Amino acid sequence: MEIQKLYDLDDIEFEDIAIGLVRLAKNIPAHEFFYKINQTNNLNFSRKKDLVFHGDYYDYFFPRFEAYHKYSKTCFTFISNKSSESKQKKVQTELFTEEENIKFLLNNQVDVEYILHSSEQFPDFSVILLPENLVFPIQDYTLSSEEELYQIIQYYE
């Protein structure tokens, strides 16, 4: 009897990831923002190991904050869209490199402060109560498997 393959890697379709884009109405530090979120929710967001993006000339570090919802056991992660730190790996000798010492995970969304991700396939970000007058409504955004951020989120999941 021949053993049947359970799955074929070529047949697996990568599904899109639903994320939320968080824009702040006021410029406040991260610790103050998450303090206010923790006050209004039954969630306890805490700083986790930074998400690291390795460029050709710099390594970029993006702060991450994580919390677990008690009842649904869902993990919510806020990732800063803008790098908080960069470490130069080698000196740029070319004139027109597109790499600078500051990086955005979503280059076309530089006004976004945080990227909100959930461990659920179909996330419901409405369970997180955001502080009034500090945050604009969360914008739903879909990442396709071809996007760089998709690969990064999959790696850190």
Side-chain angles (χ1 to χ4, degrees):
M1 184 181 249
E2 191 175 308
I3 299 175
Q4 188 179 24
K5 284 185 183 179
L6 294 176
Y7 60 88
D8 185 5
L9 291 177
D10 295 332
D11 291 341
I12 296 176
E13 289 187 26
F14 294 102
E15 294 185 17
D16 295 343
I17 297 177
I19 60 172
L21 305 182
V22 180
R23 292 174 174 83
L24 299 181
K26 296 179 183 178
N27 190 11
I28 61 170
H31 67 275
E32 186 178 330
F33 175 66
F34 286 102
Y35 174 76
K36 291 185 185 241
I37 287 180
N38 289 340
Q39 277 186 321
T40 58
N41 290 281
N42 288 334
L43 299 166
N44 187 19
F45 281 95
S46 60
R47 179 95 183 244
K48 297 298 179 189
K49 189 175 178 182
D50 287 357
L51 184 145
V52 180
F53 179 85
H54 301 286
D56 293 330
Y57 297 100
Y58 293 93
D59 285 337
Y60 301 97
F61 297 87
F62 299 89
R64 283 188 323 145
F65 300 87
E66 231 175 51
Y68 288 91
H69 194 267
K70 291 179 186 179
Y71 305 112
S72 67
K73 306 288 189 230
T74 303
C75 177
F76 291 103
T77 306
F78 278 91
I79 305 168
S80 178
N81 186 35
K82 183 179 178 183
S83 62
S84 64
E85 180 184 354
S86 61
K87 292 184 180 175
Q88 190 170 10
K89 296 191 290 188
K90 60 183 179 179
V91 178
Q92 292 181 351
T93 55
E94 299 173 20
L95 268 179
F96 300 106
T97 60
E98 293 183 16
E99 197 168 326
E100 298 178 14
N101 64 342
I102 295 175
K103 176 154 180 66
F104 291 91
L105 289 173
L106 292 171
N107 290 323
N108 58 344
Q109 302 283 343
V110 295
D111 60 331
V112 170
E113 297 292 326
Y114 296 101
I115 297 164
L116 181 55
H117 176 254
S118 171
S119 60
E120 292 182 356
Q121 185 175 2
F122 302 106
D124 180 15
F125 298 127
S126 65
V127 297
I128 301 174
L129 300 174
L130 297 173
E132 290 184 29
N133 302 325
L134 283 182
V135 181
F136 293 109
I138 295 174
Q139 177 188 349
D140 292 330
Y141 190 84
T142 304
L143 287 176
S144 68
S145 59
E146 290 88 33
E147 293 185 60
E148 193 173 50
L149 182 57
Y150 177 96
Q151 306 300 328
I152 293 170
I153 289 175
Q154 289 298 324
Y155 176 79
Y156 280 92
E157 200 170 68

